[in-house]
Amino acid sequence: MNNSDKIEPIKAEKAKDMKLEHIKSAVLAGKIFIYPTDTIYGIGCDATNQESVNKIKEIKQRDKDKPISIIAPSKEWIKQHCIINQELDIDKYLPGPYTLILKKQDPNFMNHISNTDSLGIRIPNNNFCKQIQKANKPFVTTSINIAGESPYTQIKQIPKQIKNQVDHIIEQGGLSGHPSTLVINGKEIKRD
């Protein structure tokens, strides 16, 4: 990975000027991003790249078996890979500050992300996340922090030891600081 002295955070408004092809190729190459969502800063990569996913778990010092969520490339992708109850209106929640916990169509699908029969799905209402979706790959979305610690709402709060281990940092100033609301079986569960 790169040394953080070489990684200057890119302002989100300038990230819009990054060529979409550059972002897509970075995602497809397994690069690791610190990026803004509509709630807090996240760390992510192409969720199909198991090596990069494992690196994120190492950076966060997270139990390798603990599930993580993804940004779905589209609502169609969600319908293709997850079971959506008739009562659940995904348009009510996505895009937005929610994580839907949905049953997988195939219980073994993306087991390196979640080794349960469910998957946490997000589509943040954030311009950079919309660019990420254009790579047409599920993208890891987990808070940027050491497991058990509070998530970060500003890039300057993130320790250098974490910044040293990523490839791209996208900055959008201070964020709300509230993790996404979980939606499980149609019930909203706020997290601290």
Side-chain angles (χ1 to χ4, degrees), residues 21-176:
E21 288 307 311
H22 175 73
I23 293 170
K24 284 169 71 172
S25 64
V27 170
L28 297 174
K31 301 298 183 189
I32 295 175
F33 289 76
I34 291 174
Y35 61 95
T37 70
D38 50 0
T39 56
I40 56 180
Y41 279 94
I43 184 170
C45 65
D46 171 1
T48 66
N49 185 317
Q50 195 162 351
E51 184 178 330
S52 294
V53 171
N54 289 339
K55 180 67 177 171
I56 287 175
K57 290 178 180 182
E58 286 174 23
I59 291 169
K60 286 180 58 79
Q61 299 173 24
R62 184 180 179 117
D63 178 347
K64 66 181 172 91
D65 293 327
K66 188 172 181 187
I68 52 180
S69 297
I70 60 159
I71 296 172
S74 66
K75 290 178 186 174
E76 291 72 30
W77 186 95
I78 297 170
K79 292 172 186 171
Q80 181 181 358
H81 296 286
C82 298
I83 299 167
I84 301 172
N85 296 334
Q86 289 181 335
E87 304 84 43
L88 181 65
D89 178 9
I90 64 172
D91 293 330
K92 175 182 172 184
Y93 299 105
L94 304 177
Y98 298 94
T99 300
L100 305 182
I101 307 300
L102 300 172
K103 296 277 187 207
K104 302 175 192 174
Q105 295 271 2
D106 172 359
N108 295 316
F109 179 66
M110 297 192 84
N111 270 352
H112 64 286
I113 296 292
S114 172
N115 61 3
T116 71
D117 64 352
S118 298
L119 195 57
I121 304 282
R122 288 210 67 207
I123 298 181
N125 189 11
N126 173 278
N127 286 332
F128 185 73
C129 292
K130 290 174 186 169
Q131 288 180 283
I132 289 291
Q133 285 183 285
K134 291 179 181 168
N136 204 29
K137 289 278 192 176
F139 193 81
V140 167
T141 187
T142 184
S143 58
I144 180 66
N145 60 320
I146 301 300
E149 295 182 2
S150 296
Y152 297 106
T153 58
Q154 296 185 38
I155 293 295
K156 66 183 178 186
Q157 299 170 321
I158 302 170
K160 197 170 188 176
Q161 73 193 45
I162 293 176
K163 291 179 186 175
N164 282 346
Q165 299 181 73
V166 304
D167 299 293
H168 299 284
I169 300 172
I170 308 299
E171 184 174 13
Q172 188 180 299
L175 302 177
S176 77

